[in-house]
């Protein structure tokens, strides 16, 4: 195993892409799934178009399948190139991000690389977000969470907040599984982090409600962002506005 490919759970390893930034934290974690006795691997989120990163992934073993957690470019920009390098089909929930492969289905069970991978549609971060459940990964199983749950901090809501809250509740039911996020470090307990994320989201909703009380019910996204996310770095202001937009849509739809 190359030194830069790290063991992350009994059935997974990860390679950190060289695309660190305000939105990607240390970079995108590209995961490799493989049972100990398997002769092929599954790659999840080949990431940005960086030839060195892709070459290391391709050299890790015969790639049987590539899976995409969601449409954002830091996960998908390399998909076509990686399919050329490996000959493996790329499958995503959104057909637009598939390469020579069929769209993923919610609840689908994929047998690949000696493992069983359950596809779980988890919209919210984006409307096409999926998580990958590996029930046989160690004593508690693991879940590759994409950007639905990060290794540190919280995720932007680029979809519908109602969907995101429902997704977090559904993930929490899976219990203390290992969390394998697309950005940031591995976390030990899926149920615990889902509870923390839900608490954070409801706290933010309370803050937005308070902002509307101050600013008036017709307040704009920019006005609410100024008040609720006043400490936000300018580099990620657009992400804060996206989350505020989702929160306002949620509150205005439920009242």
């Amino acid at each position: 195993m190359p030194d830069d490919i790290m063991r992350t759970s009994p059935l997974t390893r990860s390679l950190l892409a060289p695309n660190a930034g305000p939105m990607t934290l240390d970079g995108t974690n590209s995961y490799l799934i493989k049972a100990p006795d398997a002769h092929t691997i599954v790659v999840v989120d080949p990431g940005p178009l960086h030839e060195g990163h892709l070459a290391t992934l391709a050299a890790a073993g015969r790639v049987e399948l590539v899976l995409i957690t969601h449409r954002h470019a830091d996960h998908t920009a390399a998909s076509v190139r990686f399919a050329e390098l490996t000959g493996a089909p790329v499958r995503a929930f959104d057909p637009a991000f598939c390469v020579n492969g069929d769209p993923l289905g919610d609840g689908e069970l994929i047998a690949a690389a000696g493992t069983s991978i359950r596809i779980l549609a988890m919209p919210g971060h984006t409307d096409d977000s999926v998580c990958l459940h590996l029930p046989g990964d160690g004593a508690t199983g693991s879940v590759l969470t994409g950007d639905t749950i990060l290794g540190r901090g919280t995720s932007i809501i680029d979809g519908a907040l109602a969907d995101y809250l429902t997704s977090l509740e559904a993930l929490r039911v899976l219990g203390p599984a290992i969390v394998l996020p697309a950005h940031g470090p591995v976390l030990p307990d899926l149920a615990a982090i889902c509870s923390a994320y839900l608490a954070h989201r409801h706290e933010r909703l309370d803050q937005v409600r308070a902002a509307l009380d101050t600013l008036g019910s017709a307040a704009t996204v920019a006005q609410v962002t100024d008040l609720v996310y006043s400490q936000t770095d300018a580099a990620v202001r657009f992400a804060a506005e996206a989350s505020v937009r989702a929160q306002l849509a949620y509150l205005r739809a439920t009242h």
Side-chain angles (χ1 to χ4, degrees):
M1 186 192 306
D3 290 344
D4 41 4
I5 295 182
M6 308 294 293
R7 174 65 60 185
T8 40
S9 70
L11 294 180
T12 70
R13 297 169 288 159
S14 71
L15 177 66
L16 181 64
N19 62 332
M23 294 299 295
T24 56
L25 305 181
D26 307 311
T28 301
N29 296 319
S30 295
Y31 284 95
L32 304 91
I33 302 172
K34 177 183 177 293
D37 57 350
H39 301 294
T40 60
I41 61 176
V42 174
V43 170
V44 180
D45 290 342
L49 188 54
H50 183 279
E51 290 294 338
H53 179 72
L54 300 182
T56 301
L57 284 175
R62 184 165 69 85
V63 181
E64 174 182 355
L65 177 64
V66 180
L67 299 175
I68 299 297
T69 60
H70 66 290
R71 59 181 165 77
H72 285 156
D74 55 310
H75 300 256
T76 62
S79 291
V80 172
R81 175 61 178 149
F82 196 60
E84 292 173 352
L85 285 173
T86 64
V90 179
R91 299 187 62 196
F93 193 79
D94 184 339
F97 295 91
C98 295
V99 184
N100 302 321
D102 295 327
L104 296 171
D106 183 26
E108 179 180 355
L109 187 63
I110 296 173
T115 69
S116 293
I117 305 167
R118 177 76 69 182
I119 305 300
L120 303 174
M122 292 290 162
H125 170 68
T126 60
D127 56 6
D128 68 324
S129 288
V130 298
C131 293
L132 312 178
H133 183 209
L134 302 176
D137 196 7
T140 61
S142 67
V143 179
L144 285 76
T145 56
D147 287 5
T148 298
I149 292 175
L150 305 180
R152 66 174 182 273
T154 55
S155 190
I156 177 179
I157 308 302
D158 199 15
L161 180 56
D163 287 344
Y164 189 58
L165 296 175
T166 299
S167 292
L168 291 175
E169 294 281 9
L171 286 173
R172 183 161 63 174
V173 172
L174 298 177
I178 301 165
V179 178
L180 302 170
H183 304 283
V186 174
L187 298 173
D189 187 333
L190 178 64
I193 193 65
C194 286
S195 293
Y197 264 49
L198 284 162
H200 172 76
R201 282 291 147 213
H202 287 296
E203 180 182 6
R204 283 297 195 198
L205 281 171
D206 287 343
Q207 292 170 347
V208 172
R209 287 188 189 95
L212 292 176
D213 287 343
T214 300
L215 298 167
S217 61
T220 66
V221 168
Q223 289 172 323
V224 174
T225 304
D226 287 341
L227 204 56
V228 175
Y229 292 85
S230 59
Q231 305 303 313
T232 297
D233 188 286
V236 293
R237 164 80 183 201
F238 75 96
E241 289 193 354
S243 289
V244 166
R245 190 172 294 110
Q247 291 168 104
L248 287 173
Y250 176 84
L251 290 175
R252 287 166 177 164
T254 55
H255 288 82

